[in-house]
Amino acid sequence: MPGEVPLVGRFAGRHVLAEFEGIEPSLLDDAVLLKKTLAEAVTEAGATVCEVVSHSFAPQGVTVLALLAESHASVHTYPEIGSVFVDVFTCGDRADPERAVTLLAKMLGAGTVRMSTVERGEN
């Protein structure tokens, strides 16, 4: 329709911030597994993965960043306490960041999930 703004081109999005606890510590120190799991969760939630990178810390811990066509997703792990911080931001209406976080929590076997969503831009 004339004047209609495309869904992805709109200056709007949802930013989900989450903390997971109760995860098997060995999973949270496995960069390869975390990259694969994050990519699967955001893809299943409707996002388009452009690239996934990671950095492992000494003596433990991993940060994974997924660059998405819709924006980004990241995890930062604390294997010593079985916890992870998660951040998923998607622009437009194509991807569902809450679903991505919920899927990731399930895939990692999180015992506790705390999640909040911030509406950003022109909603």
Side-chain angles (χ1 to χ4, degrees):
M1 300 188 103
E4 190 172 307
V5 177
L7 293 178
V8 173
R10 212 171 95 232
F11 184 67
R14 289 179 291 163
H15 200 157
V16 179
L17 304 173
E19 296 90 36
F20 303 164
E21 295 176 342
I23 301 171
E24 170 60 41
S26 64
L27 299 178
L28 299 181
D29 212 29
D30 185 337
V32 173
L33 171 81
L34 291 166
K35 287 170 67 173
K36 179 179 179 280
T37 304
L38 181 60
E40 286 178 8
V42 296
T43 298
E44 192 170 326
T48 305
V49 177
C50 299
E51 184 176 358
V52 182
V53 297
S54 67
H55 179 80
S56 296
F57 296 92
Q60 60 197 359
V62 178
T63 293
V64 177
L65 175 63
L67 302 174
L68 309 176
E70 298 79 9
S71 195
H72 71 273
S74 67
V75 298
H76 186 77
T77 72
Y78 294 82
E80 65 274 21
I81 58 172
S83 298
V84 61
F85 286 119
V86 179
D87 170 23
V88 181
F89 177 53
T90 62
C91 297
D93 296 325
R94 189 178 326 202
D96 183 345
E98 289 93 349
R99 179 163 163 71
V101 170
T102 300
L103 288 167
L104 184 62
K106 183 176 180 180
M107 291 173 176
L108 293 175
T112 303
V113 176
R114 287 184 304 280
M115 177 172 49
S116 62
T117 301
V118 176
E119 299 285 337
R120 298 185 67 187
E122 301 168 354
N123 290 305

